[in-house]
């Protein structure tokens, strides 16, 4: 240094200063390294590029080691101007530029200036996209944006991260953050897709996978209910996968089956709907002590829904001659339906009980009506036909009486505070049969309101 200071015009002076800076840096004397490197860089005329490159690099390293990261960044950027695109040192210099900016971001974040920290994290990506810490800086920028509740910009950064780093080890965390971000911004379908990603990662714990799969199914299901047809199939797939992968979750599994039945309605797939409803009945029946009030309710509802084909079969049987044979077939069908209604009653679910009771009453009424409307024997004279009709009417009386008795039993539920659709329908039916007694619906409604 003394030589270069004393004989600044000597041709060897730049080399001597460079050697001094290298030795000082090796001694960890960073302040003097900066001083000597600056002395060389300030020479006029300038030293040759090779020496200026070395001095700039040594100055940048020293500034970084002294924690002067803003100056270090500028020095590294200057050092990079001396490097060709294929220079073997370029990657290392870019990593140092990235580290200098990253340190600035960390300092700003620690001081509470999260917005400025985000800008610095993103500068790492902009200035050194191929550096070792560019991906981490981008991830940290997204994390900081999330802490600011700036979800739209956080999502943008996370999406850029995924495109640039499809196999990065932080990918799973990106999925988790995007899942929440999409939910926060109302992008349910995309959120569900991210939860599917999480659920499909076997490296996650079973509980995380279970929770993610259910969340994906629920988001797809909500979208399907809002009319987004493209969500119906993925919702059904996720619920079915949940049932298969987590069979020990009885209560949630029952809900999944009910949702699958509801989705089948949206898909206009009656076979699938009946299949899942039948499954609800079966798993509830086999659940033992695990049965819940909810599972019994859904199973009871499923019984009533899945019995529709049997009710339709009863309605389709026409009473033709010979009446003895057709009545036998109709009565057998009726007994089948009554047995199913009895199964529904066994669940002791109030609204199912009232619906089943009403259905049984109507079944007896239809039997009575169908008998009176049945085909008459041919070649009967007027007297014989009249006698036949009287006899037939007598045969219908037990069915009419049973229908009335069941409707009366149903309206009695009003006294227990149950005044639902089916109790009201039983009142309406009785009002037609026994108007003097059951046409005062206002009184009944006031009574129930009073009970509430």
């Amino acid at each position: 240094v003394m030589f270069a200071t004393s004989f600044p015009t000597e041709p060897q002076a730049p080399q001597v200063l460079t050697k001094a800076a290298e030795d000082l840096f090796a001694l960890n004397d960073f302040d003097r390294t900066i001083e000597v490197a600056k002395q060389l860089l300030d020479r006029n005329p300038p030293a040759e590029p090779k020496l200026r490159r070395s001095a700039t690099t040594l100055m940048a390293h020293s500034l970084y080691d002294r924690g002067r990261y803003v100056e270090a960044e500028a020095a590294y950027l200057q050092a990079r101007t001396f490097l060709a695109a294929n220079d073997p040192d370029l990657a290392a210099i870019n990593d140092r530029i990235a580290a200098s900016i990253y340190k600035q971001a960390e300092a700003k974040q620690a001081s509470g200036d999260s917005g400025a920290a985000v800008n610095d994290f993103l500068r790492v990506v902009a200035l050194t996209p191929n550096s070792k810490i560019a991906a981490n800086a981008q991830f940290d920028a997204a994390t900081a944006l999330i802490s600011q509740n700036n979800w739209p910009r956080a999502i943008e950064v996370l999406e850029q991260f995924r495109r640039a780093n499809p196999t990065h080890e932080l990918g799973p965390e990106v999925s988790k953050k995007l899942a929440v971000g999409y939910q926060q911004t109302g992008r349910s379908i995309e959120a569900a897709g991210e939860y599917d990603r999480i659920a499909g990662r076997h490296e996650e714990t079973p509980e995380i996978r279970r929770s993610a799969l259910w969340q994906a199914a629920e988001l797809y299901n909500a979208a399907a209910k809002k009319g987004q047809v493209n969500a119906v199939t993925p919702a059904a797939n996720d619920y079915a996968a949940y049932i298969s992968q987590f069979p020990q979750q009885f209560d949630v599994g029952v809900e999944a089956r009910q949702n699958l039945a509801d989705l089948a309605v949206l898909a206009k797939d009656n076979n699938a709907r009946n299949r899942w409803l039948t499954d609800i009945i079966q798993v509830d029946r086999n659940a033992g002590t695990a049965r819940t009030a909810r599972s019994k309710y859904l199973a009871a509802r499923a019984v009533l829904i899945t019995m529709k084909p049997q009710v339709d079969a009863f309605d389709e049987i026409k009473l033709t001659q010979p009446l003895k044979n057709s009545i036998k077939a109709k009565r057998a069908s009726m007994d089948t339906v009554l047995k199913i209604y009895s199964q529904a009653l066994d669940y002791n679910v109030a609204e199912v009980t009232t619906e089943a009771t009403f259905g049984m009453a109507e079944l007896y009424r239809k039997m009575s009506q169908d008998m009176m409307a049945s085909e008459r024997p041919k070649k009967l004279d007027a007297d014989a036909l009249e006698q036949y009709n009287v006899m037939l009417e007598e045969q219908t009386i037990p069915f009419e009486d049973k229908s009335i008795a069941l409707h009366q039993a149903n309206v009695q539920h009003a006294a227990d505070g149950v005044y639902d659709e089916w109790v009201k329908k039983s009142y309406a039916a009785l009002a037609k049969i026994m108007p003097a007694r059951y046409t005062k619906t206002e009184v009944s409604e006031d009574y129930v309101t009073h009970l509430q």
Side-chain angles (χ1 to χ4, degrees):
V1 173
M2 288 178 62
F3 175 86
T5 303
S6 301
F7 307 101
T9 60
E10 283 294 316
Q12 297 88 353
Q15 290 92 336
V16 169
L17 280 176
T18 302
K19 181 68 168 86
E22 290 172 349
D23 290 345
L24 288 167
F25 185 79
L27 293 170
N28 293 327
D29 191 345
F30 301 124
D31 289 334
R32 290 199 68 204
T33 301
I34 295 168
E35 179 184 335
V36 171
K38 188 175 186 304
Q39 187 177 341
L40 184 143
L41 293 171
D42 287 344
R43 286 180 63 84
N44 191 15
E48 61 179 292
K50 178 181 177 181
L51 298 180
R52 283 188 286 128
R53 166 183 167 172
S54 179
T56 304
T57 303
L58 289 170
M59 176 185 284
H61 288 336
S62 298
L63 288 166
Y64 184 92
D65 287 334
R66 295 300 289 163
R68 294 161 64 178
Y69 301 117
V70 175
E71 297 168 89
E73 176 195 349
Y76 281 124
L77 287 170
Q78 183 62 33
R80 191 168 68 173
T81 64
F82 292 102
L83 307 181
N86 60 349
D87 194 297
D89 292 334
L90 182 60
I93 291 297
N94 277 331
D95 285 342
R96 281 292 191 156
I97 293 170
S100 299
I101 302 171
Y102 193 92
K103 288 290 187 180
Q104 295 174 55
E106 287 185 321
K108 290 171 183 175
Q109 195 169 44
S111 69
D113 192 352
S114 181
V118 168
N119 292 336
D120 279 343
F121 283 132
L122 293 179
R123 282 202 306 118
V124 172
V125 182
L127 293 175
T128 59
N130 298 320
S131 63
K132 293 178 180 178
I133 63 170
N136 294 76
Q138 195 168 30
F139 183 84
D140 290 341
T143 302
L145 287 166
I146 291 171
S147 70
Q148 301 168 22
N149 286 321
N150 190 346
W151 287 105
R153 194 176 177 205
I155 289 171
E156 181 183 348
V157 172
L158 289 168
E159 289 174 339
Q160 291 170 350
F161 178 100
R162 177 178 286 167
R163 287 194 294 271
N165 310 280
T167 61
H168 197 277
E169 61 182 7
L170 287 172
E173 294 303 314
V174 169
S175 282
K176 292 173 184 177
K177 292 182 185 298
L178 277 174
V180 177
Y182 287 142
Q183 273 189 277
Q184 290 288 330
T185 53
R187 297 162 67 175
S188 299
I189 296 291
E190 290 161 291
E194 295 303 323
Y195 282 117
D196 273 338
R197 283 176 181 263
I198 298 166
R201 277 183 50 81
H202 295 290
E203 295 82 358
E204 301 288 356
T205 66
E207 180 56 27
I208 288 177
R209 290 175 54 233
R210 185 192 70 78
S211 178
L213 184 57
W214 181 256
Q215 187 68 19
E218 291 284 88
L219 287 169
Y220 280 130
N221 191 28
K225 289 178 178 178
K226 293 178 181 177
Q228 292 182 251
V229 179
N230 61 325
V232 173
T233 298
N237 290 342
D238 279 349
Y239 281 127
Y242 188 96
I243 293 168
S244 174
Q245 295 176 29
F246 305 101
Q248 69 277 15
Q249 298 287 326
F250 169 73
D251 53 343
V252 186
V254 171
E255 293 294 339
R257 289 171 173 85
Q258 182 60 53
N259 288 330
L260 281 162
D262 294 339
L263 287 165
V265 174
L266 295 178
K268 299 179 180 179
D269 188 344
N270 287 329
N271 290 333
R273 185 194 191 200
N274 286 333
R275 184 172 67 252
W276 287 115
L277 290 174
T278 301
D279 204 20
I280 290 173
I281 297 168
Q282 191 63 42
V283 296
D284 173 76
R285 183 179 298 147
N286 297 335
T289 57
R291 292 179 80 192
T292 64
R294 176 66 175 169
S295 73
K296 287 189 285 187
Y297 168 78
L298 293 177
R301 295 292 312 153
V303 168
L304 291 180
I305 295 170
T306 54
M307 69 183 294
K308 187 178 184 302
Q310 286 78 16
V311 175
D312 291 343
F314 169 82
D315 290 338
E316 289 171 3
I317 296 175
K318 305 302 180 184
L319 296 181
T320 58
Q321 295 296 328
L323 193 59
K324 179 180 178 180
N325 294 339
S326 58
I327 282 184
K328 182 179 179 180
K330 185 118 178 149
R331 185 58 192 264
S333 178
M334 180 180 182
D335 289 342
T336 298
V337 176
L338 288 171
K339 183 178 179 181
I340 300 172
Y341 274 130
S342 295
Q343 292 172 0
L345 291 172
D346 289 340
Y347 287 95
N348 292 320
V349 175
E351 67 180 74
V352 172
T353 296
T354 58
E355 182 175 352
T357 305
F358 176 83
M360 293 167 72
E362 287 298 285
L363 198 68
Y364 280 106
R365 184 185 65 81
K366 287 179 183 178
M367 187 66 175
S368 173
Q369 288 181 339
D370 288 353
M371 288 176 66
M372 288 304 301
S374 63
E375 183 182 18
R376 302 308 196 251
K378 294 181 174 59
K379 299 180 181 179
L380 288 180
D381 59 28
D383 290 339
L385 181 60
E386 184 178 355
Q387 290 178 359
Y388 182 90
N389 288 337
V390 171
M391 178 190 69
L392 198 59
E393 189 172 353
E394 290 175 352
Q395 293 292 320
T396 65
I397 291 174
F399 294 101
E400 292 176 352
D401 290 344
K402 188 65 175 177
S403 176
I404 292 170
L406 285 166
H407 279 308
Q408 288 176 327
N410 215 26
V411 300
Q412 291 302 313
H413 291 291
D416 299 321
V418 179
Y419 191 62
D420 60 13
E421 173 188 0
W422 306 105
V423 172
K424 292 177 182 178
K425 286 187 174 182
S426 283
Y427 266 118
L430 289 169
K432 292 179 180 179
I433 301 169
M434 307 168 70
R437 182 174 178 183
Y438 289 101
T439 53
K440 300 179 181 180
T441 55
E442 298 84 355
V443 175
S444 298
E445 290 178 4
D446 289 345
Y447 174 63
V448 175
T449 304
H450 177 67
L451 283 179
Q452 293 174 346

